[in-house]
Amino acid sequence: MFSCIGWVAMAQNHEYKVDSAELVVNRFLKMQDFNRISKDTILYMETYIFYRSKPQDTAVLKRWYMKPNRFRAELWLRDSLIEGCYTDGREIHRELKPEMKMGWVDVTPEFYYNDEVQYDIRGSLHNWKVDGAVLKYTGIWDFNGHPVYRILVETPNKYNKYYLFEKESGMLFLIQETNEKSEYSSHEAYAHPDWHAYHEFQPWGGLLLPSVESYQVGDDIVYYYTHFKNLPADMRIFQKN
């Protein structure tokens, strides 16, 4: 496993010249390199989630990803499936939410992809162009004595976010969420974390995946611990139940 600090140590002898937000973001996405996933393999992720105030209540987020765009997520709590979504990447887009009280239901692609991004192991930057996001380079910032690149991301119908990347390694380590609306559209208010931290990334089959994360919700902290596994291709996972 590699932490962000470890990547700084690995990169300290190299000088990188970055003069735009897109270069900073693309450098990080290239390190993750989700193109390395075999089209005949399912990347399976199992994430254990708990609140600092309630460590005994552990939820389990199960996710399946198969290139190019097949995806399934299930959130389990005490052996009960409480939330989920899946798509075959073409015609099937379904969600399960407590407020629906109807089991799995079909939703529009727009509704699905607006909701699904919170579960995407690739992160919200992976499809930033498709999402219509605008990246703005705000310069080099001092973060606890370390120089970091700070990128403002404005996405239609979302609150603005600042993404912080280590200057030497290029690794993303923190997302600061704001209550400012994107200037490119209006949207309704919604609850969101104050920040999202990436503490550790794990190399996996040529990929670089976040394995330890945390974020703040109100006065509480939520922790994510993720394990990975490669599974044989099975289209039934992404077909209607």
Side-chain angles (χ1 to χ4, degrees), residues 140-154:
I140 298 176
W141 288 64
D142 181 277
F143 187 86
N144 294 334
H146 298 282
V148 302
Y149 294 118
R150 192 168 184 250
I151 307 298
L152 172 64
V153 179
E154 298 186 18

Side-chain angles (χ1 to χ4, degrees), residues 101-137:
K101 299 181 180 179
M102 294 182 292
W104 291 99
V105 297
D106 295 320
V107 296
T108 65
E110 293 78 12
F111 186 92
Y112 175 88
Y113 287 111
N114 186 62
D115 251 17
E116 176 267 343
V117 68
Q118 64 181 312
Y119 298 123
D120 197 335
I121 193 68
R122 299 171 299 179
S124 56
L125 285 176
H126 184 76
N127 288 320
W128 68 268
K129 290 184 179 180
V130 176
D131 294 337
V134 174
L135 311 181
K136 296 182 179 180
Y137 179 70

Side-chain angles (χ1 to χ4, degrees), residues 2 13 19 51 60 63 131 158 182 193-194 197 211 222 231 237:
F2 291 96
N13 294 324
D19 57 7
Y51 285 77
V60 181
R63 290 173 285 183
D131 294 337
K158 301 289 184 181
S182 165
D194 296 321
S211 54
V222 182
L231 302 176
I237 294 173

Side-chain angles (χ1 to χ4, degrees), residues 150-168:
R150 192 168 184 250
I151 307 298
L152 172 64
V153 179
E154 298 186 18
T155 306
N157 301 315
K158 301 289 184 181
Y159 288 119
N160 295 342
K161 299 180 182 180
Y162 287 99
Y163 287 71
L164 276 64
F165 301 81
E166 293 176 344
K167 181 176 182 293
E168 295 296 338

Side-chain angles (χ1 to χ4, degrees), residues 29 32-39 65 67 126 207:
L29 295 178
Q32 285 198 295
D33 201 2
F34 280 91
N35 292 324
R36 288 180 175 268
I37 298 178
S38 169
K39 64 179 181 180
Y65 172 70
K67 287 178 62 176
H126 184 76
L207 308 175

Side-chain angles (χ1 to χ4, degrees), residues 1 4-5 11 14-15 24 47 73 79-80 98 107 122 146 150 157 167-169 173 176 187 197 224-225 227:
M1 296 183 181
C4 293
I5 295 176
H14 301 276
E15 180 65 27
V24 175
T47 302
D79 298 321
S80 296
V107 296
R122 299 171 299 179
H146 298 282
R150 192 168 184 250
N157 301 315
K167 181 176 182 293
E168 295 296 338
S169 71
F173 70 95
Q176 299 171 323
H187 62 79
Y224 273 46
Y225 294 90
H227 304 279

Side-chain angles (χ1 to χ4, degrees), residues 24-82:
V24 175
V25 169
N26 287 343
R27 177 185 173 196
F28 170 69
L29 295 178
K30 186 176 180 179
M31 283 191 289
Q32 285 198 295
D33 201 2
F34 280 91
N35 292 324
R36 288 180 175 268
I37 298 178
S38 169
K39 64 179 181 180
D40 299 319
T41 299
I42 291 176
L43 174 61
Y44 174 69
M45 299 145 280
E46 198 163 285
T47 302
Y48 294 86
I49 307 169
F50 63 89
Y51 285 77
R52 182 172 60 183
S53 63
K54 302 179 292 184
Q56 69 280 2
D57 288 341
T58 301
V60 181
L61 176 60
K62 301 178 181 182
R63 290 173 285 183
W64 297 258
Y65 172 70
M66 183 178 176
K67 287 178 62 176
N69 48 13
R70 302 179 184 97
F71 184 75
R72 184 182 186 102
E74 297 178 355
L75 182 62
W76 290 79
L77 181 63
R78 302 190 193 96
D79 298 321
S80 296
L81 177 60
I82 60 174

